[in-house]
Amino acid sequence: MQRKTQFQAYVGRKQGSDGRYFQSPNALVIMLDINPSAPLLLSLRVAGLATFFSFILGVGLAWAITRRGGALRAGMDAFCTLPMVLPPTVLGYYLILLVGRRGLIGPWLMEYGINLMFSWKGAVAAATVVVFPLIYKSARAALDGVDHSLEDAARTLGASEWTVFFRVSLPLAWRGLFAGTMLAFARGMGEFGATLMIAGNIPGKTQTLALAIYDAFQAGNDARATELVIITSLLCMSVLVAAELLAGRRRSA
Amino acid sequence: MIDMNIRKRLGTAANAFRLELCLRLPDDCRCAVLFGPSGSGKTLTLRALAGLLTPDEGHISLMDCTLFDSSRGLNLPARERRIGYMFQDFALFPHLDVASNVAFGLEKTGVFRTSQVRRKVMEHLDFLGIADLAARMPATLSGGQKQRVALARALAASPRLLLLDEPFSALDPLLRGRVRQELRGILETSGLPALVITHDPADVEVFADQLAVYEKGGVAKILPFREEYGGRPAASVLEFLLGTVPGRAGGLSSPTISSVRAVA
């Protein structure tokens, strides 16, 4: 069964509703396949969710840290930047130690029916850790750039810290946060190392675009590799261009 | 009105200094001026009063209400102090129009319904004569207009006390004289007690019922200014003020200083 799925992914075949295989006309159709596990859709889903989780985590942490000084701030900054410089394989290894079947919180997660190892959820976890520094760093810079006296003014007007964040800091830091988020999404699309470590490379299940490219190349299927490379490049380019255009429009508005 | 006695360590570990601030203003004081050189702790006084800066120790009370007391571990957050603060650069929210800026503090006063908010905002804008600016963004306003919006925004939150940090330093010198008189009029009309920081002796003359003179290190001397020196021409006020700054001619031996009541 495993071999069959792998074969399907290589040659771009798909099982019809009648149970017979038929050949899809070209790579784009495979990519945009209704099958939610197709590499492109899986990559979009993984990158999207990872960006979402990182955004909540990164912006929240940046907000908590940004008005504090001293050792805590420096320590958190260093720690949060670590995933950027560590090899993705090292991150993957740490993640396995954490959420693996015999890991620190793995058994606890299993009790709730969440198994991250060799599942697309694991790919999300891996990508979340990898894109986190991009969001954290840009959020720190963007929130630091907000004039403190505006936040103080809001406080003297009776605003809670929550209100200060959502009505003053967030709207004013929005452009920087948005740029960081788009960058994180594009980076998440291309995540390879940590994903391979924790989620493996199971076609139709955890095989994202980046993994599918490596797989196709290894198997000597250069045509498919080229197609996937072009699709990935175009996608990442358009995300970045779209981010630039949107940010530019905000600037001129 | 105000009774504060606080200590705060400032600066980096290598270059630390201790600021000790005592300020006691009588209950009948409507408007007090904080005057003194930069770095003497004037802005710090306002920030501590507003709850934007937490002193290391001491106590602050305003009209028999304790805002901060280190011995009892009490520190009322800024949002619950109801103290209006007008920043030196006015600190208008650049992403909100004038009406939204003024409406920002209204929710805390229990005004929620859109029509009600709108009416209240227009009342405050009318009071300051800037109703026509309601839909403008702060970046398109002149300095004088910004100041009025900042004042309207502070007043809309119905504060018990208004703090003004160098209210005229961001204004065109030609405008200052007129705006100064207007602001004094507005404060009198609204009946709101105010604390004004300034470097300008002309401000002292217009605003000071009480004058708190700061020296380096932050010790405040309180002078019942209005009673004894009110109505004097600016030149003599300047002379008087320079006389209170240590190291200048006159110094503490000047006869006008004999009535100084040092509070420490």
Side-chain angles (χ1 to χ4, degrees):
Chain A
M1 179 60 210
Q2 184 68 28
R3 289 212 63 79
K4 206 190 270 174
T5 355
Q6 208 154 6
F7 176 73
Q8 270 174 263
Y10 284 156
V11 297
R13 276 168 177 228
K14 136 176 189 193
Q15 205 167 12
S17 52
D18 54 354
R20 288 194 326 199
Y21 291 105
F22 60 88
Q23 181 113 34
S24 300
N26 58 45
L28 196 64
V29 172
I30 311 162
M31 295 297 105
L32 297 174
D33 204 305
I34 313 298
N35 176 5
S37 309
L40 175 65
L41 287 176
L42 182 64
S43 275
L44 286 174
R45 181 162 59 163
V46 166
L49 282 171
T51 308
F52 173 77
F53 290 134
S54 276
F55 185 85
I56 307 257
L57 217 65
V59 174
L61 213 54
W63 169 251
I65 286 297
T66 214
R67 296 292 177 259
R68 285 185 178 79
L72 177 71
R73 182 183 167 128
M76 277 313 283
D77 274 0
F79 182 74
C80 292
T81 316
L82 211 54
M84 220 165 182
V85 293
L86 280 178
T89 43
V90 173
L91 293 180
Y93 196 83
Y94 279 136
L95 267 174
I96 291 169
L97 290 182
L98 191 69
V99 302
R101 290 200 169 90
R102 281 189 293 272
L104 267 178
I105 61 166
W108 180 78
L109 284 172
M110 293 281 259
E111 272 180 43
Y112 291 90
I114 302 168
N115 177 25
L116 295 182
M117 297 305 292
F118 299 105
S119 78
W120 69 271
K121 291 177 196 129
V124 173
T128 302
V129 172
V130 170
V131 304
F132 176 80
L134 292 171
I135 297 214
Y136 176 78
K137 283 253 147 199
S138 58
R140 271 295 314 275
L143 290 172
D144 258 351
V146 175
D147 186 353
H148 294 11
S149 67
L150 295 175
E151 290 162 352
D152 280 345
R155 289 184 187 111
T156 64
L157 293 168
S160 63
E161 289 305 301
W162 205 244
T163 312
V164 171
F165 178 69
F166 280 106
R167 289 190 55 195
V168 179
S169 313
L170 196 63
L172 289 173
W174 182 243
R175 196 181 300 140
L177 291 178
F178 179 73
T181 307
M182 286 297 114
L183 201 61
F185 181 78
R187 173 69 184 85
M189 288 288 298
E191 168 42 29
F192 182 85
T195 311
L196 185 63
M197 294 279 287
I198 186 166
N201 180 16
I202 309 165
K205 201 172 162 213
T206 66
Q207 193 177 62
T208 59
L209 272 178
L211 291 167
I213 291 168
Y214 181 74
D215 229 18
F217 179 72
Q218 285 285 299
N221 192 345
D222 286 2
R224 178 167 164 84
T226 310
E227 282 168 352
L228 292 173
V229 162
I230 291 172
I231 286 169
T232 311
S233 308
L234 284 178
L235 201 70
C236 287
M237 273 294 285
S238 29
V239 167
L240 293 180
V241 168
E244 195 60 38
L245 287 178
L246 280 169
R249 194 157 63 196
R250 278 172 189 283
R251 204 168 299 140
S252 60
Chain B
M1 180 176 71
I2 292 168
D3 186 359
M4 88 190 256
N5 185 342
I6 56 167
R7 279 158 298 283
K8 175 82 180 171
R9 277 180 72 86
L10 291 168
T12 57
N15 184 24
F17 60 101
R18 234 167 89 98
L19 208 54
E20 214 172 317
L21 287 172
C22 297
L23 182 69
R24 199 168 295 153
L25 295 171
D27 285 336
D28 59 354
C29 168
R30 303 305 303 165
C31 196
V33 168
L34 313 187
F35 184 90
S38 311
S40 58
K42 300 186 301 295
T43 300
L44 212 108
T45 305
L46 294 201
R47 290 181 63 82
L49 263 170
L52 300 175
L53 171 135
T54 309
D56 295 332
E57 51 177 343
H59 68 90
I60 305 171
S61 62
L62 169 68
M63 300 165 196
D64 302 327
C65 166
T66 306
L67 302 178
F68 177 84
D69 191 343
S70 59
S71 64
R72 293 191 324 202
L74 184 95
N75 185 16
L76 210 62
R79 64 174 179 277
E80 284 167 26
R81 293 195 180 190
R82 287 184 49 216
I83 294 179
Y85 199 125
M86 201 167 88
F87 290 81
Q88 213 169 334
D89 58 355
F90 310 132
L92 297 177
F93 303 126
H95 59 300
L96 301 175
D97 64 15
V98 167
S100 308
N101 262 282
V102 175
F104 196 96
L106 276 174
E107 277 169 34
K108 198 68 183 175
T109 67
V111 181
F112 289 108
R113 287 216 333 274
T114 322
S115 60
Q116 215 179 348
V117 168
R118 178 89 197 148
R119 198 168 48 77
K120 279 271 182 196
V121 166
M122 289 320 286
E123 266 175 36
H124 284 288
L125 291 180
D126 267 335
F127 177 60
L128 294 173
I130 48 171
D132 52 324
L133 301 179
R136 297 264 293 272
M137 296 307 278
T140 68
L141 301 177
S142 72
Q145 289 170 329
K146 277 185 192 165
Q147 194 198 38
R148 280 161 177 263
V149 175
L151 196 58
R153 185 179 68 174
L155 293 176
S158 62
R160 295 182 292 185
L161 169 72
L162 195 59
L163 309 175
L164 308 168
D165 192 350
E166 299 194 35
F168 311 111
S169 65
L171 296 185
D172 188 327
L174 294 172
L175 259 176
R176 276 180 208 171
R178 189 164 60 83
V179 174
R180 190 180 287 128
Q181 291 299 337
E182 282 174 0
L183 184 60
R184 174 76 209 197
I186 289 164
L187 288 179
E188 263 162 22
T189 316
S190 63
L192 196 62
L195 249 58
V196 183
I197 288 184
T198 187
H199 292 296
D200 188 344
D203 291 342
V204 176
E205 236 190 331
V206 173
F207 288 104
D209 290 342
Q210 298 277 326
L211 174 63
V213 180
Y214 279 65
E215 292 165 5
K216 283 280 186 206
V219 180
K221 290 185 185 355
I222 313 297
L223 311 169
F225 187 82
R226 182 67 56 199
E227 299 149 31
E228 290 167 46
Y229 310 99
R232 283 200 183 192
S236 66
V237 174
L238 180 65
E239 198 178 292
F240 159 72
L241 288 170
L242 290 178
T244 64
V245 179
R248 302 289 186 105
L252 292 174
S253 63
S254 158
T256 45
I257 307 301
S258 59
S259 62
V260 167
R261 182 161 50 90
V263 180

